[in-house]
Each structure stands twice: as structure tokens, then as C-alpha cells.
Amino acid sequence: DRSQIVATLPALLPTAALTAAGIMMLRDSDSALAGVGLLSLGIAVGPSLGHFYAGEYGLGGILILGRSLFLAAGKGALALAGLVAFSSALSGETNDGDEAFLTTMVALAVGCGVVALGGAIYGIVDASGAVRRRLARRRAEAVRRGLASLSVAPMIGPTARGGTVLGLMAAMRF
């Protein structure tokens, strides 16, 4: 079945790679827009890949949707702040209301980014939990159906006198 350790890898590696690539691209003005896209993709989608691996498609999708909405709200707040600042610069007039609005929009954008980042961290950390929940559901289903599994494997081991002993090892899961 699924491994808890392996579940973390599809959540962590694409997230880290896309986020790092996006940050690197933000440094160059020619590729900044693509950098924002990669950064957003890494934060929004990457962490849910561990949930998809574990078979928790619904939760993975909900987490993608939530992180995407917070990222979109943050970007919208920054875009709105940029429009107000641009309008003030064109008119040559600034007032206290504009400054308060800009401060609020930037704070909103930062807050949305922090929530999305927190959701990404949760998605990565919970990937192994998704596998544990999957295994618990499978065990509960097997018990409900009255199914038990028996595994038998050959075994070779040392004896106390330096010889070798052959045997069978059995494990039962119910």
C-alpha cells in the first residue's frame, strides 16, 4: 500500500522546485510574471500532490481551491493598490484616504500570502497523515467485511551455535 514517507515527497519536491524557480524568475523583470505564476503554482498545487498520492482527492482539491483563493485575493489587493497609486501619481494629488487604502491593501495582500503559505505547509505536513487515514479506512473496511489477511514469507536466520536455520514467518492483519 502507500508509504507515509513517500507521500511527503510529491508534496514537498514540486512545491520547493516551483517556488524556488518562481523566486529566481522574480529577480528578472523580463520573467517576473512567469515567476509569479510558478510561485503561485508551487504554493497552490504542489502541497496537495501528497494527498492525491494517498487517495484523498477531495481534500487535496479543497486545499488547492483554498490556497488559490487566498493567492488570488492577495494579488487582487496588490493590483488594486497599484491602480490607486498609479492614479494618484497621474493626478499629482495624494490624500490621507489613499495612503490608508494602500496600507490596508498591502496588509491584506501580505495576510492572504501568509494564509496561503500556511496552507501549503499544512498540505506538506499532512501528506503522511493522509496515508495514515487511508490505511485506517482500509483496515476498518476489512474489519467491517470480516476480511483478514495472512502473509507468509520464508526466513533465514543465524542460530546460537553459528549455523543457519530456515523457517517461515507469518503475519496476520485484521
Side-chain angles (χ1 to χ4, degrees):
D1 210 352
R2 306 282 192 242
S3 164
Q4 293 180 35
I5 295 171
V6 172
T8 304
L9 295 177
L12 179 62
L13 295 180
T15 302
L18 289 169
T19 302
I23 290 171
M24 295 298 287
M25 292 176 80
L26 286 174
R27 302 169 97 200
D28 180 18
S29 62
D30 292 336
S31 62
L33 189 58
V36 169
L38 284 179
L39 183 63
S40 298
L41 187 64
I43 291 173
V45 177
S48 287
L49 297 179
H51 289 88
F52 295 153
Y53 168 82
E56 288 193 343
Y57 305 108
L59 179 58
I62 289 169
L63 290 173
I64 288 173
L65 180 62
R67 288 187 298 264
S68 297
L69 289 174
F70 275 100
L71 288 172
K75 290 175 192 172
L78 284 179
L80 197 53
L83 286 174
V84 168
F86 183 71
S87 172
S88 293
L90 282 180
S91 69
E93 299 175 12
T94 59
N95 59 47
D96 292 339
D98 285 350
E99 285 188 30
F101 179 78
L102 292 174
T103 302
T104 302
M105 289 298 105
V106 170
L108 177 63
V110 169
C112 287
V114 167
V115 171
L117 187 58
I121 292 168
Y122 171 79
I124 293 167
V125 170
D126 189 53
S128 62
V131 171
R132 280 193 303 275
R133 291 188 295 273
R134 173 192 172 98
L135 294 174
R137 284 191 304 270
R138 289 183 56 138
R139 280 192 292 275
E141 181 66 19
V143 167
R144 188 183 68 77
R145 289 183 175 185
L147 301 175
S149 66
L150 176 66
S151 301
V152 180
M155 187 175 106
I156 300 174
T159 64
R161 296 185 183 163
T164 303
V165 65
L166 302 175
L168 290 176
M169 180 175 66
M172 185 170 185
R173 182 175 72 179
F174 52 92

